[in-house]
């Protein structure tokens, strides 16, 4: 299959935490008005917080997108690598309709932090998606909601000044709890790794470098 | 411009029968409404609604609503973020739609699972409601949709949570003719007339035996539903 051009603007959002954590129940403590129900809620409100991204599809030279389409992108912390020779993690990509990304995420309790572009090509081989990309900084002063076209992005400042590309081979499995599906996907990725040996050596990514949790 | 009145008639725990039959009897006997449920032009109402609350102070609500007769997309709404208002608990803050997600297992259901499992520190589920026995009927300028609200899970498995009634008043064309200031005045007059017509319609049903009825009237039908479905704090 012919490679498809990729141009994505990634907006990074961080959860806004108020009145909990170190100051858990601070406001209620001051007034002594905290109900049993509130305490119960706060007790259960323990767990990791994650960065979430909004992705805008941009106009590419070959593509013909009229306007940016936005989607929410979630990537979980990769599972601990045991016997499986690949990285596996929960992923979710959810399209949003006619919504301003900053307002949408503010409503969910997230604040905008930064943005970057990914530009390159996506190759498809059997079930595998092979993404060959570079990360580019947006132009100075560019508003988060604006998605530039590919010519502007290509001339932008690279996040990695060496100009090297990032390559990611991945397969989406509908249900990660189905061992047979996971094994088939793993085998396909390992076959691709063998095929590409000598051209590019695919290795398992650093789990902590792919950690999306808020520290 | 159509105006919408929404009512929540609670189901008192001490009463065995739902208010639904009482409201239906009143509609048929008072107004001789025509049932449109079998008609292809009007869809009987159904809904799926989740109410979540932030555990932190000041508390906020997140609502995820699928209401196909008003929107093909799943609606996500929150009360304003504390950073944008004085940080005081305001359970009456009006919900605002912040995003819309195409309905379907790969979209809105994935979003819901994401909120429940990966944003659990920010949002705690409080109530899940669905609607059963939805019906739609017409009387003159009024279109009425109603159905029984049922709670899903949370120990109140399929417990009745009362009846939601939507009455839409479609303005007579005379209210929207004209231009400039005249048009605005006519619209304002139309709003007033609409509100009066809707209030009179509900009063005519004589639902006084049901206590704790809540009413929301306005031009934003979705906003009204979001307010009326917030049965818990």
């Amino acid at each position: 299959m012919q490679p498809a051009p990729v141009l994505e603007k990634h907006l990074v959002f961080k959860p806004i935490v108020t009145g909990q954590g170190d100051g858990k129940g601070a406001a209620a403590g001051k007034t002594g008005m905290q109900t049993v129900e509130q305490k119960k809620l706060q007790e259960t409100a323990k767990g990791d917080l994650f960065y979430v991204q909004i992705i805008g599809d941009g106009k590419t030279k070959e593509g013909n997108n009229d306007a940016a389409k936005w989607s929410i992108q979630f990537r979980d912390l990769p599972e601990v690598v045991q016997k499986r020779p690949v990285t596996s993690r929960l992923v979710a990509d959810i399209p949003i309709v006619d919504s301003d990304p900053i307002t949408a995420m503010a409503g969910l309790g997230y604040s905008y932090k930064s943005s970057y572009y990914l530009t390159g090509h996506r190759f498809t081989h059997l079930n595998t998606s092979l993404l060959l990309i570079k990360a580019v900084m947006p132009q100075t002063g560019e508003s988060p909601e604006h998605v530039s076209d590919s010519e502007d992005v290509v001339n932008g400042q690279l996040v990695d000044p060496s100009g090297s590309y990032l390559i990611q081979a991945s397969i989406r499995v509908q249900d990660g709890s189905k061992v047979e599906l996971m094994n088939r996907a793993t085998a396909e990725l390992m076959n691709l790794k063998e095929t590409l040996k000598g051209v590019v050596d695919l290795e398992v990514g650093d789990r902590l470098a792919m950690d999306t949790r808020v520290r | 411009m159509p105006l919408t009145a929404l009512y929540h008639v609670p189901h008192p725990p001490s009463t065995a029968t739902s208010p639904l039959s009482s409201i239906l009897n009143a509609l048929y006997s008072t107004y001789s409404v025509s049932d449109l449920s079998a008609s292809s032009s009007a869809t009987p109402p159904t809904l799926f609604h989740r109410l979540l609350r932030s555990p932190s102070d000041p508390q906020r609500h997140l609502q995820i609503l699928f209401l196909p007769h008003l929107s093909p997309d799943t609606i996500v709404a929150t009360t304003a973020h504390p950073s944008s208002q004085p940080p005081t608990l305001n359970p009456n803050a009006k919900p605002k739609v912040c995003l819309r997600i195409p309905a379907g297992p790969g979209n809105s259901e994935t979003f819901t699972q994401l909120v429940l499992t990966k944003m659990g520190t920010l949002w705690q589920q409080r109530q899940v409601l669905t609607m059963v026995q939805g019906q739609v009927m017409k009387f003159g300028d009024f279109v009425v949709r109603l159905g029984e609200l049922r709670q899903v899970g949370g120990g109140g498995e399929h417990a009745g949570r009362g009846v939601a009634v939507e009455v839409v008043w479609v303005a007579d064309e005379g209210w929207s003719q004209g231009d400039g200031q005249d048009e605005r005045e006519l619209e304002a007059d139309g709003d007033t007339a609409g509100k009066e017509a809707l209030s009179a319609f509900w009063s005519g049903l004589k639902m006084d035996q049901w206590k704790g009825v809540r009413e929301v009237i306005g031009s934003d039908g979705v906003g009204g539903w979001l307010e009326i479905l917030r049965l818990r704090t």
Side-chain angles (χ1 to χ4, degrees):
Chain A
M1 189 180 283
Q2 289 298 307
V6 171
L7 178 63
E8 296 175 347
K9 186 166 190 182
H10 288 234
L11 311 184
V12 182
F13 291 84
K14 186 180 180 181
I16 305 163
V17 183
T18 55
Q20 59 179 43
D22 292 343
K24 198 175 259 187
K30 279 178 201 162
T31 60
M33 292 292 281
Q34 191 179 31
T35 63
V36 175
E37 208 170 45
Q38 281 173 310
K39 278 183 185 166
K40 208 168 144 189
L41 271 174
Q42 288 181 348
E43 278 300 306
T44 54
K46 288 174 181 169
D48 290 322
L49 286 164
F50 296 85
Y51 287 97
V52 174
Q53 296 197 5
I54 295 268
I55 312 300
D57 272 341
K59 291 177 190 172
T60 57
K61 270 184 196 169
E62 295 107 300
N64 191 28
N65 295 343
D66 291 322
K69 290 175 185 163
W70 298 99
S71 58
I72 298 172
Q73 184 187 81
F74 176 79
R75 299 288 180 264
D76 205 349
L77 169 70
E79 291 170 9
V80 177
V81 178
Q82 291 171 330
K83 289 179 183 173
R84 201 172 283 146
V86 297
T87 301
S88 56
R89 63 171 165 182
L90 174 76
V91 302
D93 292 276
I94 303 152
I96 58 178
V97 185
D98 297 336
S99 307
D100 165 54
I102 306 284
T103 309
M105 292 307 287
L108 289 176
Y110 287 76
S111 64
Y112 168 74
K113 286 292 156 194
S114 61
S115 58
Y116 61 92
Y117 285 95
L118 288 183
T119 178
H121 285 83
R122 176 177 283 110
F123 300 77
T124 303
H125 175 66
L126 301 175
N127 297 302
T128 306
S129 168
L130 205 60
L131 202 57
L132 184 66
I133 44 167
K134 286 194 284 194
V136 180
M137 301 295 289
Q139 300 286 335
T140 310
E142 180 179 305
S143 73
E145 299 92 338
H146 174 78
V147 181
S148 297
D149 61 28
S150 59
E151 284 181 22
D152 288 340
V153 174
V154 165
N155 295 325
Q157 185 190 342
L158 293 171
V159 173
D160 178 358
S162 72
S164 58
Y165 279 82
L166 188 74
I167 186 165
Q168 175 191 284
S170 63
I171 295 178
R172 282 189 180 236
V173 177
Q174 189 71 30
D175 184 350
S177 66
K178 291 188 175 164
V179 178
E180 190 201 340
L181 280 179
M182 291 296 281
N183 288 344
R184 275 172 51 194
T186 303
E188 190 175 320
L189 285 172
M190 295 312 290
N191 284 340
L192 182 71
K193 178 181 175 174
E194 195 59 32
T195 305
L196 292 178
K197 195 178 266 184
V199 181
V200 56
D201 292 331
L202 296 174
E203 296 295 338
V204 175
D206 179 355
R207 178 172 179 263
L208 291 180
M210 291 192 279
D211 190 354
T212 50
R213 291 174 298 179
V214 175
R215 299 289 183 184
Chain B
M1 186 170 56
L3 274 181
T4 302
L6 282 147
Y7 300 89
H8 174 243
V9 184
H11 184 169
S14 56
T15 314
T17 50
S18 156
L20 183 63
S21 53
S22 163
I23 300 168
L24 283 172
N25 285 340
L27 280 167
Y28 282 106
S29 60
T30 312
Y31 296 118
S32 309
V33 291
S34 48
D35 187 357
L36 300 181
S37 298
S39 147
S40 57
S41 61
T43 321
T46 178
L47 65 84
F48 197 82
H49 175 255
R50 280 179 202 271
L51 176 69
L52 299 98
R53 190 174 81 177
S54 65
S56 56
D57 292 310
Q59 282 162 348
R60 299 191 302 136
H61 287 111
L62 177 71
Q63 292 173 266
I64 304 173
L65 173 64
F66 180 54
L67 190 66
H69 80 271
L70 285 186
S71 168
D73 305 317
T74 294
I75 295 153
V76 183
T78 58
T79 42
H81 192 270
S83 63
S84 65
Q85 64 175 24
T88 50
L89 176 61
N90 181 10
N92 298 319
K94 284 187 188 296
K96 286 181 183 168
V97 174
C98 65
L99 73 149
R100 292 171 184 267
I101 295 168
N107 300 324
S108 56
E109 287 175 25
T110 304
F111 174 77
T112 301
Q113 287 309 310
L114 184 64
V115 172
L116 294 176
T117 59
K118 299 298 175 185
M119 299 180 183
T121 311
L122 300 174
W123 301 107
Q124 304 286 305
Q125 186 162 284
R126 301 287 288 150
Q127 193 167 53
V128 182
L129 291 173
T130 184
M131 180 177 269
V132 295
Q133 298 182 59
Q135 300 195 37
V136 55
M137 50 201 66
K138 190 171 178 8
F139 173 74
D141 294 334
F142 301 95
V143 176
V144 183
R145 286 183 171 84
L146 75 167
E148 188 169 331
L149 298 174
R150 294 274 177 88
Q151 184 174 324
V152 181
E157 197 69 41
H158 299 299
R161 286 289 176 266
V163 174
V165 185
E166 178 197 77
V167 187
V168 179
W169 178 75
V170 183
D172 189 295
E173 280 186 10
W175 294 114
S176 56
Q177 285 174 354
D179 54 11
Q181 191 174 352
D182 288 347
E183 190 177 2
R184 283 193 295 278
E185 281 173 9
L186 277 167
E187 266 187 29
D189 289 348
D191 278 1
T192 308
K195 283 175 185 169
E196 285 171 2
L198 287 165
S199 292
F201 183 89
W202 182 255
S203 302
L205 294 176
K206 296 187 171 57
M207 288 286 111
D208 303 338
Q209 79 269 32
W210 301 101
K211 303 298 175 198
V213 176
R214 289 190 299 138
E215 177 190 68
V216 178
I217 298 183
S219 55
D220 178 10
V222 169
W225 275 100
L226 289 166
E227 279 195 65
I228 218 80
L229 291 172
R230 225 164 45 167
L231 302 186
R232 297 188 66 174
T233 55

